[in-house]
Amino acid sequence: MMKNMYNVFAKKLFGVKYERILRSLIGSLIIFWALSISSIQIQIAPLILYLMTATFTAGVMWQALSSIDNRAYLKNMMMLPFESKKFICAYIGALGCYTLVTKTCILLAVVFSISKMGAVEIIWSILCALAAVLTAACLFYCLKGADVYCFYAEKHIAGQRWKAGRRHFIWKYFFRYMTDHKNYLVNTVAMCVIACLLPVFFRQMNGLSVLPMGFAILSLNTPLCILLSCDPALEQAVRFLPGQRKHFCIPYCLFIFTSNILADLIFLCSWKIQGGEISSGTILCAVIFALQSAIGSVLLEWFRPLRHWKIESDLWHHPRKYVVPAVMLLSAVLVGTAPWVICIMGGVLVAECVVFIVI
């Protein structure tokens, strides 16, 4: 019976013919091969590797367990007779395999391609990932009530926290969305922590060349860039009402820009504290990178929203999230080698802002 229940959950996550497993493995191999032939080499201590693997895997597993996207599916399953122990084992097993195959496998492919690791480190990394899955599942099960129904997450309907008005309503929605989705806040705080730590890795490199790389890395705030993809009802309402392309997208862009520039300012403060130089050109570069990444993220979300995802974790780790940071990282490399490129980026950004506002 447990095998049959596992197959039901696994087919929901991987597809009827488990086709997503093959796609994920092929994608990991492509990433491993592409990075292996590049000249990127980073020395990673084994302890850092194990902590990174365990933390990442546990975070993804916890997010998958707490996702409300499986609510309707679990509701149908719970209407049938079941044994709690077998139900829990099958559900956790399916989500664990999903986490390891579609998420952790990609992380390990990236790490092993840019860092020389032996067989011992590879085996221990896999064991750490397995332990992280089980630990996250046990903690979730105990903290959420120690019952099979703890996986059945109720939809939370937030109360009215602000009085609706004619102005700034979209901004009120954004902040309410952040406060109601704690994982979004956690991710934003994590980006601020990364902003504090980046200068530690850049401290041996002088000049402006490394700063744009930091600005590009800090544009990787996934949750803020998928508000339409993760809420189909909101997207339908925004597209249905007249004039919402302008009234929604401009505040949305400014909201992402605010988050990006906050992380950039923390990064610059940390850089200054550690003895780095900051000029007016540096601040202008931060503004350009923060605004350009915000515009790119909003345009992608408006014209190419993510569809057919299984659980919210798919949105957080979808390959599309790397498009804008990859472009910004390439731009950072160009600015580092030819500083005059920032002037071209500024001109393009001004033209984009004019078109964005007018059209």
Side-chain angles (χ1 to χ4, degrees):
M1 180 179 177
M2 187 175 72
K3 182 179 179 181
N4 294 333
M5 296 181 68
Y6 171 83
N7 290 332
V8 172
F9 291 129
K11 288 182 179 180
K12 195 269 182 182
L13 296 171
F14 294 113
V16 177
K17 298 182 179 179
Y18 299 94
E19 61 273 9
R20 191 169 184 183
I21 296 179
L22 181 60
R23 289 202 302 265
S24 298
L25 294 178
I26 292 176
S28 299
L29 288 176
I30 292 175
I31 293 174
F32 179 83
W33 175 78
L35 293 177
S36 296
I37 63 177
S38 66
S39 58
I40 301 176
Q41 285 295 319
I42 300 176
Q43 186 66 32
I44 301 177
L47 180 59
I48 300 299
L49 171 63
Y50 305 149
L51 289 175
M52 178 173 58
T53 303
T55 303
F56 175 81
T57 305
V60 175
M61 184 64 181
W62 187 279
Q63 185 183 14
L65 288 168
S66 59
S67 176
I68 65 174
D69 304 308
N70 292 326
R71 181 175 180 271
Y73 196 77
L74 287 175
K75 182 178 181 180
N76 295 332
M77 292 291 296
M78 290 177 178
M79 293 176 65
L80 301 174
F82 63 87
E83 296 182 25
S84 296
K85 183 180 295 186
K86 293 182 178 180
F87 187 97
I88 293 172
C89 292
Y91 186 60
I92 291 177
L95 286 181
C97 292
Y98 171 83
T99 299
L100 294 173
V101 173
T102 64
K103 304 299 185 295
T104 306
C105 188
I106 296 177
L107 173 66
L108 295 180
V110 173
V111 172
F112 295 152
S113 62
I114 63 177
S115 180
K116 295 181 179 179
M117 295 291 175
V120 175
E121 287 79 7
I122 295 175
I123 293 174
W124 274 106
S125 298
I126 297 174
L127 292 177
C128 287
L130 292 172
V133 166
L134 295 176
T135 302
C138 292
L139 289 176
F140 185 91
Y141 181 69
C142 295
L143 295 178
K144 295 294 182 176
D147 187 81
V148 65
Y149 291 95
C150 70
F151 302 114
Y152 181 73
E154 293 286 351
K155 290 185 177 180
H156 174 66
I157 301 177
Q160 184 72 17
R161 300 188 180 182
W162 291 285
K163 183 179 179 180
R166 294 183 179 180
R167 302 182 61 186
H168 313 300
F169 178 76
I170 296 297
W171 280 90
K172 292 179 182 179
Y173 171 80
F174 290 148
F175 285 113
R176 184 172 63 182
Y177 201 93
M178 290 284 287
T179 55
D180 289 339
H181 294 74
K182 305 302 182 184
N183 49 359
Y184 285 38
L185 284 175
V186 170
N187 189 82
T188 303
V189 172
M191 295 305 298
C192 294
V193 174
I194 293 174
C196 293
L197 298 178
L198 276 179
V200 177
F201 300 97
F202 292 162
R203 61 185 177 182
Q204 296 181 353
M205 305 177 66
N206 299 319
L208 180 66
S209 59
V210 298
L211 295 182
M213 295 180 62
F215 302 148
I217 293 173
L218 294 175
S219 67
L220 188 62
N221 195 343
T222 309
L224 297 185
C225 302
I226 56 171
L227 293 187
L228 291 180
S229 296
C230 70
D231 193 345
L234 172 65
E235 181 191 0
Q236 184 179 9
V238 169
R239 295 187 185 276
F240 177 77
L241 297 175
Q244 290 305 304
R245 176 182 294 187
K246 179 178 180 179
H247 296 306
F248 178 82
C249 289
I250 291 179
Y252 187 23
C253 180
L254 293 176
F255 182 69
I256 298 178
F257 168 75
T258 302
S259 176
N260 290 343
I261 199 65
L262 175 63
D264 291 342
L265 291 177
I266 294 175
F267 170 62
L268 290 177
C269 291
S270 179
W271 176 265
K272 182 65 176 179
I273 291 174
Q274 298 187 43
E277 295 293 332
I278 298 178
S279 63
S280 57
T282 304
I283 299 176
L284 178 62
C285 182
V287 172
I288 291 175
F289 270 76
L291 186 54
Q292 183 62 73
S293 62
I295 292 177
S297 299
V298 171
L299 290 177
L300 271 180
E301 185 67 356
W302 182 264
F303 292 104
R304 288 291 184 270
L306 300 176
R307 311 288 192 191
H308 309 298
W309 42 275
K310 299 295 184 180
I311 59 177
E312 191 179 19
S313 179
D314 294 344
L315 295 174
W316 282 49
H317 306 93
H318 194 278
R320 198 204 72 177
K321 79 168 189 176
Y322 299 107
V323 173
V324 173
V327 173
M328 301 311 300
L329 189 59
L330 178 61
S331 301
V333 174
L334 294 176
V335 172
T337 56
W340 53 267
V341 174
I342 195 66
C343 298
I344 299 178
M345 292 181 61
V348 173
L349 183 61
V350 171
E352 289 178 344
C353 291
V354 172
V355 173
F356 211 81
I357 295 175
V358 174
I359 297 181

